[in-house]
Amino acid sequence: EAGVTQFPSHSVIEKGQTVTLRCDPISGHDNLYWYRRVMGKEIKFLLHFVKESKQDESGMPNNRFLAERTGGTYSTLKVQPAELEDSGVYFCASSHARTGLPSTDTQYFGPGTRLTVL
Amino acid sequence: GEDVEQSLFLSVREGDSSVINCTYTDSSSTYLYWYKQEPGAGLQLLTYIFSNMDMKQDQRLTVLLNKKDKHLSLRIADTQTGDSAIYFCAESLMNRDDKIIFGKGTRLHILP
């Protein structure tokens, strides 16, 4: 079974440009999460999709960030316009069920996209 | 508030035990986790413990939880070179287990 995949693995853009990150969750996983790790800091939750609906977007930093999950499969995270402080590693995770038990709710993480804004 | 703290670096000789410590602030934690990130790879869930447990052992890994002190530790017995990675302590909260709160990660370096 393929794991969570993310594209691109690394993106370097200039301040003011737009970047779109993509996440393909594990097939059949309804839950999809975005997290971000800014250099030297903790990994922070951004948002959570259940299928195509945003369940919780409390971690989204500001309105320059837009996440979508049309059709409830893959998700995109667009940053427009990018700022220097957006640099970091963006992780995507997916999980199958929502039973409250880590054994079934385990979030499987992708390798991350490293975003560098110059 | 929600805060998870852990030291940033740990060096251990191959064959010795590694102990990575973590403290958290929120008393409503339901599950506490240890994730491992190897270079270029995603986060791998190593183990987790329910907040009403004191200890969990899984092969070379031992997790100890002191709920009174809000202290979590991960002990890796007989540390190998393949254990070199960043280890993240994390928690999920009661009624909010869709969101995992992570520490900054401890980089474990193995000395020959």
Side-chain angles (χ1 to χ4, degrees):
Chain A
E1 180 185 289
V4 176
T5 57
Q6 292 186 244
F7 182 83
S9 57
H10 195 174
S11 179
V12 181
I13 60 172
E14 291 189 348
K15 175 182 168 181
Q17 289 186 320
T18 298
V19 63
T20 301
L21 314 181
R22 174 172 169 143
C23 168
D24 285 77
I26 292 172
S27 177
H29 280 191
D30 286 343
N31 297 285
L32 188 148
Y33 309 82
W34 283 99
Y35 292 83
R36 174 174 77 168
R37 187 184 189 209
V38 171
M39 181 69 73
K41 298 203 170 187
E42 59 277 0
I43 299 170
K44 284 211 178 234
F45 168 86
L46 295 178
L47 88 159
H48 169 211
F49 282 100
V50 177
K51 297 185 181 177
E52 67 274 9
S53 300
K54 288 176 188 171
Q55 182 77 8
D56 179 357
E57 51 183 332
S58 62
M60 293 288 265
N62 52 60
N63 59 9
R64 294 186 294 103
F65 288 74
L66 175 64
E68 293 181 320
R69 193 183 181 197
T70 308
T73 54
Y74 70 90
S75 173
T76 57
L77 179 65
K78 181 193 282 190
V79 186
Q80 179 182 30
E83 297 290 344
L84 299 179
E85 64 265 24
D86 301 333
S87 295
V89 181
Y90 289 76
F91 290 102
C92 175
S94 71
S95 69
H96 179 60
R98 293 291 299 124
T99 62
L101 297 172
S103 54
T104 48
D105 282 359
T106 298
Q107 293 185 27
Y108 294 89
F109 282 76
T113 293
R114 181 175 294 278
L115 174 64
T116 303
V117 183
L118 302 175
Chain B
E2 306 162 354
D3 203 12
V4 177
E5 297 282 344
Q6 53 184 127
S7 53
L8 296 181
F9 299 99
L10 177 67
S11 290
V12 173
R13 292 207 177 277
E14 190 175 356
D16 287 351
S17 292
S18 306
V19 179
I20 303 172
N21 294 299
C22 167
T23 56
Y24 58 96
T25 55
D26 202 304
S27 56
S28 66
S29 297
T30 50
Y31 291 96
L32 294 125
Y33 310 85
W34 284 103
Y35 281 83
K36 176 183 181 183
Q37 186 187 21
E38 295 180 73
L43 294 165
Q44 173 199 355
L45 178 62
L46 270 185
T47 185
Y48 65 89
I49 188 168
F50 189 48
S51 58
N52 69 355
M53 296 169 62
D54 298 322
M55 186 183 90
K56 181 177 180 182
Q57 188 151 2
D58 182 4
Q59 299 181 331
R60 292 190 298 120
L61 305 178
T62 303
V63 178
L64 294 177
L65 174 61
N66 181 328
K67 198 168 180 181
K68 174 175 167 288
D69 294 339
K70 299 192 185 76
H71 182 268
L72 182 75
S73 67
L74 173 70
R75 179 176 178 271
I76 306 172
D78 185 25
T79 308
Q80 316 280 308
T81 53
D83 295 325
S84 182
I86 301 176
Y87 291 81
F88 291 92
C89 174
E91 63 174 347
S92 59
L93 305 179
M94 191 174 294
N95 300 322
R96 289 300 319 277
D97 51 355
D98 57 334
K99 169 179 153 180
I100 296 177
I101 300 157
F102 288 87
K104 294 182 182 180
T106 299
R107 184 178 294 275
L108 177 62
H109 177 62
I110 313 302
L111 301 167

